[in-house]
Amino acid sequence: MAEISEFRLYPFIEKSLSELGWDIRNPLKYPGGQVFSQNEALHEDSLKILLDKSKPEYIVKVKDDILWVIEAKASPSDLELAVNEARDIYATKLNGGELNRCLFATGVAGSDNSTHFVETYYLTKKDGWKRVKINNVDTTGFISRAQAFTIIDADNPNIENQEIGEELFIKKANAINEILHNGAINKKNRARVIASLLLALANDQTFKISDDPTTLIEDINACVRSLLRGYGKENFAQEISISLPTSKDNHKKNRSAIVGCIQELKSINIKSAINSGADLLGQFYEIFLKYANDSAEIGIVLTPRHITRFSVKATNVSSKDFIFDPTCGTGGFLVSALDSVKKTDPTIVDKFKESHIFGIEQDPEVVGLALVNMIFRGDGNSNIYEGNCIDNVFVKIDGNVKKITSDKYQKNKDNGIKMERFITRVLMNPPFAISTKEYEFVDHALSQIVDGGLLFTILPTSTMSSTGNGQKEITWRRELLKRHTLKAVVKLADDLFMPNAHKGTYGVIIEAHKPHGNQKVFWAIMDDGFSMKKSKRLPSANLPSNYDLIADKLSKFLLYNEKPKQLRKVISCCEINFKDDTLDCGAEAYLKDILYKDIDLSGVTSNLFDALLQQKRNGEGLSLQKGKYKAIPIDDIIEKIYRGDCPPLTNIPSGKIPVVTTTENNNGIDGYYDVPDTAKFKDVITIPANGSKYKAFYHPYSFSAVPDVLICKVKPQFDSLETKIYICAQINKSSWRFSYFRKCNEIKIKKDVKILFPINSSGEIDNNFIAEQVHQTIDYSGIKELMA
């Protein structure tokens, strides 16, 4: 077979440079261009004179007076030749003039069939040419312009604490997923393939690519076993070993996919990223498994890395702590704890890695992934085990840490064998929607924590905030507070686990084995600054975030008992309301709002007018910041709350009766139907008891409503048109307390919502002031005419 020529490497080189942000256009033709190809360089007068008709593959303009030369060879065995020509021939020539300085030289060799090998050197002032490193590891791909500037400014070829950008990670994760798809590799096996390839590259970046598919697979598995053997974890090699497809017809396709994945990983200098101070491997897994792969099919719902870091910061994890994650998945919480200690107490990090980190995961394949993650943190000896955490207990017996079965624990206890708890911090995200309830995982974890130790867990909204339909959860909350202290409840984003799961959640912190009593609790709602972009949840520079504020205030609250300053709809610190029959422990129930500001009367009148006219108009607002006022519980305003009983709309014909649903448009009216008389209401306020938006509407006309609508009849003293409009506007100010996951119901509306009324000089509700303000809205006169 004829040897391919180096021009076949050009697409790879240009694609790599472009992905890293270089403008690969010709600088002579385009003002922003940064890359000369062979012949283009000779059209630039100063370069033509210096090169003397010789032509490297590419010359990159790092700055106007700093250059980077790239030379390519077709065969991997010619990599050294490519480096020597780039560095000793072309760079030397380019450095012979006064205007240009060639400080970077790169040799590229290989092909799509064998992967591409890239070596880059930097010309230091003192020591001459030195290999470029990132985080003390030789680079295997190209570098970005920002990285080049960092090297130049420091005159140091090694870039410390370098992280890979989120955008590039996503791009590579999706590229790898596409490669695996085209290689006929099943979704369920893709995480296993990535784990094996990452381990192989961690062990040997110059991993030899065999032309024979069978030999290549055997070499990768052997490399993985070798690495795991060094950490005493060889038994897990079988959990992440890879194999060829059953059909020989797919062998070449499978080999091509594996080679393509290796190339993509090498191109982002994956081993350098692993050696970073940040959890870049965890970030890669998060993106690959969450966005590029169907993680639900392999049983993984990853906790976002900013939440695992939040748990570590908030609970003040230190090198003295013993960390346990009973449902560790790929090890995100453990990695965040390890990284924190590495930064704050690097001298003790080896001991911490060896004997202070513990995890259990019942999926053997995911255990393998967790081990890979920890190995990439320089710790393959972590105490991560396969098994069901409910069936296992960590204790100290005679001063030695033991993992024993729950049955064995009970037998030891019955036989009087002394066992000590030693875990000081549990960080966990128990699996949702399985037969074992989330709070059962919490109870089992708490049983293993020392007195005064802290547990951080992510729990569904219902676990902390259920009402009548969640009697088991209410009972659990009561029992929990008899034995332990609830320290903090932080509402997390509703789309935290999107796109794989849509679940309302809280971050909950519990202090073990200390009855709650009358302790104050830290309540908060977190805006983490992330948003959904094309089905991906990413940080946004344009969104406000209180993440750091809450982490800092919560850390000080737990460490020094420093009470945070109350921030409206963000942070509160107060006691639990034990008089509440539901013992609601949702943050929304305890956060304060300034009720007298920015009352949107026009939103109510406009909707009512729209419903009457079936058209839309706009209005004005009201501010009650001046004058006297008092807050009245809604239970003192509403005489009775009903539920709608309209039959399903699909079962009734169109007609003339408006039907109110959970829609936030057209005064809540979804359409007009032929509804039985028994399902009609009039002169009442409606509030959705389901959905993602909560708007109150007043209905002076006859209507029907579905069961997901609360129908509120006000008491006689509030029974004027203007007052009912005003009440709706005030209810809408409290809509932030409710969501799809924390639904509004008869209990929560009475417990959580108060209406602020202006007071006259006699201390009575100033109905004249309310009427005057409502009359000023643009739609009021139209409403009166239509109601006449």
Side-chain angles (χ1 to χ4, degrees):
M1 181 185 295
E3 186 176 307
I4 63 172
S5 61
E6 51 265 23
F7 81 85
R8 293 184 180 271
L9 278 74
Y10 294 179
F12 162 73
I13 295 171
E14 293 178 9
K15 174 176 175 287
S16 299
L17 292 174
S18 180
E19 285 180 342
L20 289 166
W22 294 97
D23 188 333
I24 61 173
R25 296 178 299 172
N26 182 351
L28 295 177
K29 292 184 177 180
Y30 303 94
Q34 296 169 323
V35 181
F36 291 107
S37 66
Q38 276 190 327
N39 294 323
E40 291 170 351
L42 296 182
H43 288 89
E44 211 281 340
D45 292 339
S46 62
L47 296 180
K48 180 178 180 180
I49 294 170
L50 294 169
L51 290 170
D52 190 25
K53 297 183 181 180
S54 61
K55 296 183 293 183
E57 255 65 61
Y58 292 94
I59 294 176
V60 180
K61 291 185 68 175
V62 180
K63 293 183 179 180
D64 288 339
D65 61 341
I66 296 179
L67 302 176
W68 171 14
V69 64
I70 301 171
E71 179 63 10
K73 298 296 177 186
S75 172
S77 61
D78 287 335
L79 177 62
E80 185 178 356
L81 177 60
V83 169
N84 290 339
E85 288 186 7
R87 186 179 58 195
D88 302 333
I89 296 176
Y90 299 119
T92 299
K93 288 185 176 184
L94 291 169
N95 286 330
E98 296 180 357
L99 296 177
N100 296 312
R101 293 181 297 147
C102 185
L103 299 186
F104 295 91
T106 295
V108 185
S111 66
D112 292 340
N113 193 51
S114 63
T115 75
H116 303 88
F117 297 86
V118 180
E119 288 187 10
T120 300
Y121 291 78
Y122 170 70
L123 183 58
T124 65
K125 294 176 181 178
K126 292 183 178 180
D127 302 316
W129 291 101
K130 294 292 180 182
R131 181 81 182 266
V132 170
K133 299 175 184 289
I134 297 178
N135 303 318
N136 300 303
V137 177
D138 290 338
T139 57
T140 53
F142 293 93
I143 59 175
S144 69
R145 194 170 186 225
Q147 289 169 331
F149 283 1
T150 300
I151 291 171
I152 295 166
D153 292 342
D155 192 38
N156 185 345
N158 182 40
I159 309 173
E160 295 278 6
N161 298 320
Q162 182 71 24
E163 298 187 20
I164 299 174
E166 186 101 5
E167 187 175 345
L168 182 57
F169 257 125
I170 292 172
K171 195 169 188 176
K172 290 299 181 183
N174 281 289
I176 289 172
N177 190 62
E178 183 67 22
I179 290 168
L180 293 173
H181 172 74
N182 293 335
I185 296 175
N186 189 283
K187 284 184 177 182
K188 293 183 178 180
N189 295 328
R190 291 178 194 173
R192 177 191 298 252
V193 170
I194 291 299
S196 290
L197 296 184
L198 287 169
L199 275 177
L201 289 172
N203 199 28
D204 181 10
Q205 287 200 107
T206 60
F207 184 78
K208 185 178 179 181
I209 307 295
S210 174
D211 291 333
D212 178 60
T214 301
T215 303
L216 176 60
I217 295 295
E218 290 175 349
D219 288 347
I220 291 170
N221 288 333
C223 196
V224 170
R225 284 195 301 273
S226 174
L227 183 63
L228 291 176
R229 188 182 303 119
Y231 289 105
K233 304 287 186 182
E234 187 176 2
N235 59 313
F236 283 103
Q238 62 183 358
E239 306 299 346
I240 53 175
S241 63
I242 58 178
S243 58
L244 284 169
T246 305
S247 172
K248 287 189 175 181
D249 294 339
N250 286 328
H251 283 197
K252 289 182 68 176
K253 183 186 292 186
N254 184 269
R255 178 195 175 277
S256 177
I258 288 173
V259 172
C261 289
I262 291 174
Q263 181 58 66
E264 295 292 348
L265 293 170
K266 286 169 63 177
S267 71
I268 55 174
N269 300 301
I270 190 64
K271 191 171 181 180
S272 299
I274 291 163
N275 217 37
S276 162
D279 178 21
L280 292 183
L281 180 73
Q283 190 180 9
F284 181 85
Y285 272 134
E286 179 184 343
I287 293 167
F288 177 73
L289 295 176
K290 191 172 183 180
Y291 298 145
N293 195 52
D294 186 354
S295 61
E297 289 195 20
I298 59 173
I300 298 175
V301 178
L302 288 160
T303 308
R305 291 302 174 258
H306 70 288
I307 298 301
T308 64
R309 290 193 292 269
F310 174 82
S311 73
V312 169
K313 182 175 181 180
T315 59
N316 301 292
V317 167
S318 75
S319 59
K320 296 179 181 179
D321 284 309
F322 290 86
I323 312 298
F324 177 41
D325 183 351
T327 56
C328 71
T330 59
F333 283 107
L334 303 179
V335 166
S336 290
L338 178 58
D339 283 345
S340 176
V341 170
K342 186 176 181 180
K343 291 177 181 177
T344 58
D345 201 351
T347 60
I348 204 170
V349 71
D350 289 337
K351 181 181 178 182
F352 185 81
K353 289 188 293 187
E354 181 181 348
S355 59
H356 286 243
I357 295 178
F358 300 86
I360 295 181
E361 171 57 47
Q362 67 177 6
D363 189 323
E365 187 169 299
V366 179
V367 174
L369 296 177
L371 282 170
V372 172
N373 209 347
M374 297 308 293
I375 285 172
F376 285 164
R377 314 308 303 150
D379 175 35
N381 296 309
S382 292
N383 299 292
I384 297 177
Y385 299 90
E386 175 193 347
N388 184 332
C389 72
I390 300 293
D391 296 333
N392 291 274
V393 178
F394 282 96
V395 291
K396 272 188 178 180
I397 302 177
D398 296 329
N400 298 313
V401 173
K402 300 287 186 181
K403 180 182 76 70
I404 60 176
T405 65
S406 297
D407 290 342
K408 178 70 172 176
Y409 175 83
Q410 189 58 46
K411 287 180 181 178
N412 285 351
K413 193 174 180 181
D414 294 341
N415 292 330
I417 296 175
K418 187 177 180 180
M419 297 175 291
E420 296 178 84
R421 301 190 298 265
F422 68 95
I423 300 296
T424 61
R425 294 288 186 274
V426 166
L427 310 173
M428 65 185 295
N429 179 12
F432 296 169
I434 63 173
S435 57
T436 303
K437 293 295 184 182
E438 296 85 0
Y439 55 76
E440 294 180 65
F441 288 99
V442 172
D443 286 342
H444 188 64
L446 284 168
S447 72
Q448 300 169 73
I449 305 178
V450 300
D451 293 359
L454 294 177
L455 175 144
F456 174 94
T457 181
I458 297 175
L459 292 175
T461 302
S462 60
T463 303
M464 300 304 294
S465 190
S466 59
T467 53
N469 294 328
Q471 192 59 48
K472 288 183 179 180
E473 288 151 329
I474 296 172
T475 300
W476 174 76
R477 293 197 291 270
R478 292 197 181 281
E479 292 302 314
L480 174 80
L481 296 172
K482 290 177 183 178
R483 293 174 284 121
H484 311 283
T485 298
L486 181 62
K487 300 297 292 185
V489 178
V490 179
K491 183 185 183 300
L492 306 176
D494 287 342
D495 58 1
L496 186 68
F497 297 112
M498 291 290 282
N500 288 327
H502 190 214
K503 195 79 175 178
T505 55
Y506 295 110
V508 178
I509 298 177
I510 301 167
E511 185 177 15
H513 311 297
K514 290 187 177 182
H516 187 89
N518 61 352
Q519 294 296 310
K520 291 187 175 181
V521 181
F522 183 104
W523 313 96
I525 293 180
M526 180 189 290
D527 291 321
D528 57 14
F530 283 64
S531 64
M532 295 296 295
K533 298 176 182 177
K534 297 181 179 179
S535 299
K536 299 174 179 65
R537 194 166 191 271
L538 300 172
S540 173
N542 299 321
L543 288 179
S545 170
N546 58 27
Y547 172 94
D548 290 327
L549 171 71
I550 292 175
D552 180 64
K553 297 295 184 184
L554 180 50
S555 170
K556 291 177 180 176
F557 173 72
L558 295 175
L559 193 60
Y560 309 116
N561 198 29
E562 183 179 306
K563 303 295 191 296
K565 182 179 178 181
Q566 179 176 290
L567 294 175
R568 181 169 63 109
K569 292 192 287 188
V570 177
I571 293 175
S572 180
C573 186
C574 61
E575 296 178 16
I576 293 173
N577 178 17
F578 283 98
K579 294 180 180 179
D580 172 17
D581 291 338
T582 68
L583 198 62
D584 188 348
C585 291
E588 299 94 327
Y590 293 92
L591 290 167
K592 304 299 181 182
D593 195 3
I594 300 176
L595 299 177
Y596 57 88
K597 287 186 176 179
D598 306 322
I599 309 302
D600 184 17
L601 287 174
S602 65
V604 180
T605 57
S606 179
N607 264 290
L608 176 54
F609 188 57
D610 288 348
L612 294 168
L613 267 186
Q614 298 186 29
Q615 68 180 29
K616 296 182 179 179
R617 296 179 65 181
N618 296 318
E620 302 172 357
L622 164 66
S623 175
L624 296 179
Q625 295 189 55
K626 295 182 179 180
K628 295 181 179 181
Y629 49 86
K630 70 176 179 178
I632 299 178
I634 202 166
D635 199 26
D636 293 339
I637 298 170
I638 302 298
E639 184 174 87
K640 191 169 184 179
I641 299 179
Y642 306 87
R643 284 273 183 160
D645 58 357
C646 179
L649 300 186
T650 54
N651 298 337
I652 53 178
S654 299
K656 296 183 178 180
I657 301 299
V659 175
V660 174
T661 66
T662 59
T663 180
E664 60 179 308
N665 300 315
N666 196 32
N667 220 48
I669 296 172
D670 189 79
Y672 293 80
Y673 297 87
D674 186 8
V675 181
D677 288 341
T678 55
K680 295 176 185 176
F681 301 89
K682 185 177 181 180
D683 191 26
V684 289
I685 292 170
T686 62
I687 306 168
N690 202 347
S692 58
K693 301 291 184 181
Y694 285 81
K695 270 192 173 183
F697 300 107
Y698 171 58
H699 307 273
Y701 41 78
S702 179
F703 72 97
S704 184
V706 298
D708 276 341
V709 174
L710 304 179
I711 299 159
C712 307
K713 183 171 181 58
V714 301
K715 293 182 177 181
Q717 61 265 42
F718 302 99
D719 192 21
S720 72
L721 172 62
E722 293 86 351
T723 302
K724 284 177 279 196
I725 287 173
Y726 178 83
I727 290 170
C728 286
Q730 281 280 15
I731 290 174
N732 291 341
K733 283 294 295 176
S734 295
S735 63
W736 61 272
R737 297 185 186 274
F738 310 112
S739 67
Y740 179 80
F741 303 105
R742 190 177 189 272
K743 301 181 189 302
C744 181
N745 58 31
E746 294 87 334
I747 296 172
K748 283 190 170 63
I749 190 72
K750 291 180 179 181
K751 177 174 63 69
D752 293 349
V753 178
K754 292 182 179 179
I755 304 298
L756 201 77
F757 282 98
I759 303 301
N760 59 26
S761 58
S762 301
E764 298 176 343
I765 294 175
D766 194 341
N767 290 308
N768 291 331
F769 178 76
I770 291 174
E772 179 184 337
Q773 298 303 321
V774 173
H775 294 168
Q776 290 177 13
T777 61
I778 194 170
D779 293 303
Y780 180 76
S781 59
I783 290 171
K784 291 294 291 182
E785 288 180 17
L786 289 167
M787 290 179 61

